């Protein structure tokens, strides 16, 4: 008797909770609907274009001849093939690693300068890296995610990314898998992407870089990796580092075939 | 300082080889930040064993050894008192901060329980990575229940090896007093966890 009451109570509760949770998520959906195609990222894309063509660094050169993998200056579709191996650098690179390479090689800028503040802080103006990422990913819109896995270095990056995805460490014993290996889960009210499945990885990967409403800036996929590792209680991930490239390779390959729709719009 | 380190690292990236282990790659890819230092990358036996997809874990002997070591390491309150103050326990359960480089190390750590569990039925912002603990107090306060719950909080792997739940006692995330307070939040009949919705409203 008592058990039945508890059970029906619990059931009512979970229905109620689901309704309230949906209502809260509804606010974000409504916002998204209201914005329609007006993702504030459009302004950031323009800003990124300005950076791309602006002379900078000791050499006062632009990035216009930067080779993102499809040839110098070719931007259309380029993001979709990243991360990939670059002969001139001798390693697999994600977008940020490659942009850094071009800034050093073409513009003569120092790594110190580039790493000084690649991502904006909460409430700041966006950074050059964030604007460039928005500008570049926009030119792969509707292109299928197609990271190259032809070379052994690229396959090794995927294997490493998979190992890192399950690597538990730190005081809380978290790995990416703790939060992202099951479908339909949430932390507090935030939905968690199931990133070891094609469907989950595709939904996540194709929507980054993204404009984050809560922060008012475009965030890159490298930032997303860094911020999840912060929540994992690990040290700070260096932009363009092998671990960053490996995790993004893992996600990109899992997402392969899905069409990019970035910059996305996030809560 | 930190920036310099990042620069030195960048130069070493091209020379990393396929043979490098995940921990070596992470060490070459991260920098110390506040309380989150590079030593956190090293794994202990539980972390190393549990860092494989479930299907590939397999080895029962190792798993049993990991579980037995977890059980043997449980520390009990010196005064034999397991239940503290549920009000403070509720704050700990609600607090998701602690041990991130963005957290102030002078503040007490949270237990982050709501990230993964439903507890007080009036709190709507709860996660679903773990089971609902609403009305947990219905299990009573027998020795068995109290010992089970304390052990679960101290080192979850003593019962369920490779559980996703953090080891709040064994890893020093929560103090003994904080653990007692969380115990009371779960088990005290007056705790909101054990109050049906309309009763307290």
């Amino acid at each position: 008797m008592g058990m039945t009451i508890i059970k029906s109570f619990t059931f009512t509760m979970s229905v109620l909770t689901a309704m309230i949770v949906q209502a809260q998520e509804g606010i974000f959906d409504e916002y998204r609907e209201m914005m329609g195609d007006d993702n504030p990222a459009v302004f950031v894309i323009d800003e990124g274009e300005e950076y791309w063509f602006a002379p900078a660094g000791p050499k006062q050169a632009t990035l216009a001849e930067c080779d993102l993998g499809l040839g110098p200056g070719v931007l259309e579709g380029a993001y979709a093939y990243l991360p990939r191996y670059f002969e001139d650098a001798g390693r697999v690179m994600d977008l940020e690693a490659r942009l850094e390479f071009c800034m050093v090689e073409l513009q003569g800028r120092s790594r110190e300068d580039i790493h000084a503040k690649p991502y904006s802080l909460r409430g700041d103006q966006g950074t050059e890296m964030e604007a460039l990422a928005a500008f570049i990913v926009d030119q792969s819109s509707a292109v299928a995610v197609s990271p190259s896995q032809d070379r052994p270095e690229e396959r090794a990056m995927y294997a490493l990314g998979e190992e890192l995805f399950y690597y538990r460490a730190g005081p809380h014993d978290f790995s990416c898998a703790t939060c992202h290996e099951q479908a339909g889960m949430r932390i507090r009210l935030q939905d968690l992407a199931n990133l070891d499945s094609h469907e989950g990885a595709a939904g996540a990967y194709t929507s980054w870089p993204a404009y984050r409403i809560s922060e008012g800036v475009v965030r890159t996929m490298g930032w997303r990796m860094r911020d999840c590792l912060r929540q994992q209680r690990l040290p700070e991930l260096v932009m363009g580092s092998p671990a960053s490239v490996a995790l993004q390779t893992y996600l990109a390959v899992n997402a392969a075939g899905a069409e990019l729709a970035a910059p996305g719009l996030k809560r | 300082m930190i920036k310099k380190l990042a620069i030195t690292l960048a130069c070493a990236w091209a020379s990393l080889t396929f043979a490098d282990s995940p921990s070596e790659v992470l060490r070459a890819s991260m920098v110390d930040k506040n309380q989150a230092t590079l030593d956190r990358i090293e794994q202990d036996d539980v972390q190393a064993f549990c860092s494989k997809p479930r299907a590939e874990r397999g080895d029962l002997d190792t798993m049993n050894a990991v579980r037995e070591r977890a059980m043997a390491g449980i520390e009990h309150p010196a005064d034999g008192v397991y239940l503290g103050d549920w009000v403070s326990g509720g704050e700990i359960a609600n607090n998701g901060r602690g041990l991130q480089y963005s957290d102030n190390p002078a503040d007490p750590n949270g237990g982050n329980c709501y990230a993964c569990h439903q507890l007080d039925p009036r709190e709507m912002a709860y996660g679903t990575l773990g089971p609902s603990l609403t009305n947990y107090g219905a299990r009573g306060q027998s020795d068995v229940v109290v010992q089970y719950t304390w052990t679960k909080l101290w080192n979850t792997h003593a019962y369920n090896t490779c559980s996703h739940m953090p080891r709040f006692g064994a890893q020093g995330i929560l103090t003994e007093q904080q653990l007692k307070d969380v115990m009371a939040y779960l088990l005290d009949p007056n705790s909101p966890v054990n109050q049906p919705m309309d009763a307290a409203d």
Side-chain angles (χ1 to χ4, degrees):
Chain A
M1 177 54 196
M3 240 8 235
T4 326
I5 291 173
I6 291 174
K7 274 203 185 120
S8 69
F9 166 73
T10 317
F11 175 73
T12 319
M13 278 316 310
S14 56
V15 171
L16 252 176
T17 308
M19 280 166 59
I20 290 168
V21 167
Q22 262 173 9
Q24 300 207 354
E25 275 170 3
I27 295 168
F28 176 58
D29 287 343
E30 256 171 46
Y31 179 89
R32 207 183 338 222
E33 222 160 80
M34 189 178 79
M35 296 301 289
D37 293 331
D38 303 338
N39 184 335
V42 289
F43 304 112
V44 187
I45 293 170
D46 288 348
E47 206 185 310
E49 183 171 17
E50 279 167 31
Y51 276 120
W52 185 258
F53 291 110
K59 296 191 189 168
Q60 280 299 297
T62 74
L63 291 170
E65 290 302 298
C66 177
D67 182 353
L68 295 178
L70 301 183
V74 180
L75 293 179
E76 213 165 302
Y79 184 84
Y81 296 92
L82 295 171
R84 66 189 293 162
Y85 182 81
F86 286 89
E87 202 90 48
D88 53 9
R91 66 182 193 101
V92 181
M93 291 174 150
D94 59 17
L95 177 64
E96 291 164 318
R98 191 58 188 171
L99 284 173
E100 173 179 337
F101 181 86
C102 288
M103 288 169 179
V104 171
E105 297 298 314
L106 300 176
Q107 301 180 316
R109 291 161 66 177
S110 72
R111 288 206 154 85
E112 199 158 338
D113 161 40
I114 298 160
H115 281 273
K117 195 181 173 190
Y119 310 130
S120 53
L121 302 177
R122 195 178 276 269
D124 270 2
Q125 298 285 312
T127 64
E128 175 187 15
M129 192 56 83
E130 289 161 350
L132 285 169
F135 168 59
I136 290 163
V137 75
D138 181 53
Q139 294 176 71
S140 288
S141 191
V143 181
V145 177
S146 321
S148 164
Q149 286 282 286
D150 294 341
R151 296 187 57 117
E153 293 89 344
E154 292 163 340
R155 291 192 292 274
M157 263 305 176
Y158 177 84
L160 174 62
E162 183 174 37
E163 267 190 282
L164 292 178
F165 188 83
Y166 290 101
Y167 188 86
R168 295 183 73 165
H172 285 61
D173 305 326
F174 289 157
S175 68
C176 312
T178 308
C179 298
H180 297 294
E181 76 170 345
Q182 290 162 280
M185 295 294 174
R186 337 187 287 262
I187 278 204
R188 290 280 182 160
L189 288 180
Q190 288 153 41
D191 289 321
L192 292 167
N194 173 211
L195 298 173
D196 60 351
S197 75
H198 168 69
E199 213 192 6
Y205 195 81
T206 57
S207 57
W208 284 82
Y211 185 89
R212 287 196 98 217
I213 296 161
S214 54
E215 296 178 294
V217 288
V218 165
R219 292 303 194 186
T220 68
M221 192 52 130
W223 174 87
R224 185 67 266 175
M225 301 298 99
R226 174 188 282 194
D227 207 55
C228 276
L229 285 160
R230 175 185 64 79
Q231 294 179 61
Q232 219 169 303
R233 273 76 183 169
L234 291 184
E236 186 169 83
L237 182 68
V238 178
M239 180 181 71
S241 64
S244 186
V245 176
L247 286 167
Q248 289 179 65
T249 304
Y250 177 67
L251 298 176
V253 172
N254 288 352
E259 285 183 10
L260 282 160
L265 191 58
K266 302 278 165 182
R267 68 165 192 102
Chain B
M1 221 353 244
I2 286 173
K3 294 283 130 50
K4 281 257 163 54
L5 211 65
I7 311 322
T8 331
L9 285 176
C11 304
W13 290 344
S15 60
L16 282 174
T17 71
F18 301 155
D20 288 312
S21 67
S23 69
E24 284 169 308
V25 174
L26 284 172
R27 275 187 172 271
S29 301
M30 298 186 131
V31 290
D32 289 343
K33 184 145 183 183
N34 305 332
Q35 56 182 317
T37 48
L38 291 177
D39 52 293
R40 289 193 181 175
I41 290 167
E42 287 344 300
Q43 295 178 314
D44 66 13
D45 61 333
V46 173
Q47 293 169 334
F49 180 72
C50 298
S51 289
K52 296 186 184 85
R54 197 164 284 275
E56 289 166 33
R57 254 174 243 146
D59 179 1
L60 266 181
D61 289 345
T62 318
M63 183 161 143
N64 285 333
V66 166
R67 189 173 53 229
E68 276 158 26
R69 267 200 300 279
M71 191 58 100
I74 307 294
E75 288 173 27
H76 295 270
D79 59 5
V81 177
Y82 286 85
L83 267 63
D85 167 22
W86 63 257
V87 177
S88 138
E91 280 159 23
I92 297 162
N94 250 301
N95 180 2
R97 292 193 190 281
L99 299 164
Q100 301 170 119
Y101 55 67
S102 49
D103 296 327
N104 181 354
D107 294 338
N109 294 334
N112 211 1
C113 317
Y114 277 99
C116 300
H117 296 286
Q118 181 180 31
L119 292 131
D120 177 351
R122 280 152 295 267
E123 172 57 73
M124 292 303 152
Y126 63 88
T128 55
L129 285 171
S132 170
L133 302 174
T134 294
N135 208 21
Y136 191 85
R139 297 183 196 194
Q141 294 187 11
S142 67
D143 254 13
V144 175
V145 169
V146 168
Q147 291 297 323
Y148 164 78
T149 311
W150 181 267
T151 302
K152 191 76 198 162
L153 292 180
W154 188 275
N155 189 338
T156 180
H157 304 277
Y159 291 122
N160 182 9
T161 314
C162 299
S163 162
H164 282 320
M165 185 160 133
R167 292 171 276 172
F168 293 103
Q171 290 278 65
I173 300 169
L174 298 179
T175 64
E176 184 181 284
Q177 186 57 49
Q178 284 182 308
L179 288 169
K180 289 181 177 186
D181 294 346
V182 169
M183 288 282 288
Y185 190 57
L186 291 173
L187 291 169
D188 192 312
N190 295 317
S191 156
V193 170
N194 304 315
Q195 302 300 310
M197 198 73 144
D198 33 358
D201 282 342

